[in-house]
């Protein structure tokens, strides 16, 4: 396996499991993972939130960790990375308003580099206009945004993942085994 350099795009109230698990698992496989957040630098942190499925009509939210960034968003360029990971949680709803985030995602997609997005992460993909004519999974509440972004929503099990060309997407963190395995397959193609 060749070591890849992966960009992890996070923001305050990003989903804890969807951040910590890929960050650590991809490093465990020998990859370099740079975690960045707009308007924050290396050594700063984002607050995470744990989203759980405990019987309510939607997920519940509990405080997570202070996740320390190890790189600067201002220096992040798609040309310097092999792939992009976009966790879910509440961060994507405001990160998608940042023109630099949108441009960065578009650059990764235009270069046909692997992009993994989970839960609410596809909100950023829709805002970046990279879902047109493609199939994508996401947290079910994001299905309208996938469709409005020109994509087809893949209504799959919460523990499943969907691949469409360079995109691998999943509904939520219970899909980590499939989502991360399919992402690693894309990294090695």
């Amino acid at each position: 396996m060749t070591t890849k350099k992966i960009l992890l795009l996070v923001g305050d109230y990003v989903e804890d499991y969807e951040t910590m698990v890929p960050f650590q698992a991809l490093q465990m496989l020998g990859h370099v993972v740079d975690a960045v957040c707009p308007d924050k630098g290396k050594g700063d942190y984002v607050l995470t939130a744990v989203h759980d499925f405990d019987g309510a009509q939607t997920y519940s939210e509990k405080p997570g960790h202070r996740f320390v960034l190890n790189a600067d968003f201002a220096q992040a360029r798609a040309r310097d990375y092999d792939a992009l990971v976009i966790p879910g949680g509440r961060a994507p709803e405001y990160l998608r308003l940042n023109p630099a985030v949108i441009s960065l995602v578009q650059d990764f997609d235009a270069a046909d580099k692997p992009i993994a997005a989970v839960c609410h992460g596809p909100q950023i993909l829709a805002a970046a206009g990279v879902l047109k004519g493609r199939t994508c999974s996401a947290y079910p509440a994001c299905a309208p945004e996938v469709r409005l972004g020109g994509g087809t929503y893949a209504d799959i099990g919460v523990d499943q993942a969907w691949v469409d060309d360079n995109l691998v997407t999943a509904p939520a963190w219970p899909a980590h085994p499939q989502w991360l395995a399919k992402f690693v397959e894309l990294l090695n193609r």
Side-chain angles (χ1 to χ4, degrees):
M1 178 183 70
T2 305
T3 297
K4 303 289 184 174
K5 191 171 181 187
I6 302 164
L7 187 67
L8 178 71
L9 180 61
V10 299
D12 283 316
Y13 300 106
V14 65
E15 210 292 323
D16 192 276
Y17 296 150
E18 294 168 4
T19 302
M20 301 289 254
V21 172
F23 182 73
Q24 294 173 340
L26 292 166
Q27 289 181 80
M28 186 240 0
L29 292 173
H31 301 301
V32 174
V33 182
D34 285 352
V36 299
C37 174
D39 303 319
K40 294 190 182 199
K42 181 177 180 179
D44 291 338
Y45 65 85
V46 295
L47 297 173
T48 70
V50 175
H51 296 110
D52 207 356
F53 310 101
D54 44 20
Q57 291 179 318
T58 189
Y59 58 85
S60 63
E61 184 172 88
K62 299 160 183 70
H65 297 91
R66 290 183 178 185
F67 179 76
V68 178
L69 306 170
N70 64 354
D72 294 318
F73 178 83
Q75 277 75 49
R77 303 289 180 271
R79 67 177 177 264
D80 297 328
Y81 292 92
D82 298 299
L84 173 66
V85 175
I86 306 172
R90 284 192 287 142
E93 77 181 28
Y94 73 87
L95 289 177
R96 66 187 167 164
L97 302 175
N98 184 316
V101 167
I102 296 304
S103 179
L104 185 64
V105 171
Q106 290 169 336
D107 290 347
F108 271 96
D109 191 60
D112 199 36
K113 294 184 178 189
I115 300 173
V118 63
C119 192
H120 288 70
Q123 289 179 310
I124 294 174
L125 300 179
V130 302
L131 295 180
K132 292 181 179 104
R134 301 169 87 180
T135 300
C136 168
S137 183
Y139 190 70
C142 298
E145 288 171 272
V146 170
R147 292 181 186 112
L148 288 168
T152 299
Y153 175 69
D155 187 8
I156 58 177
V158 72
D159 61 347
Q160 302 295 302
W162 190 272
V163 177
D164 187 328
D165 190 34
N166 66 318
L167 298 180
V168 58
T169 54
W173 57 260
H176 278 341
Q178 278 210 19
W179 180 64
L180 288 170
K182 290 178 186 302
F183 180 58
V184 170
E185 287 176 18
L186 287 181
L187 286 174
N188 294 323
R189 68 176 178 175

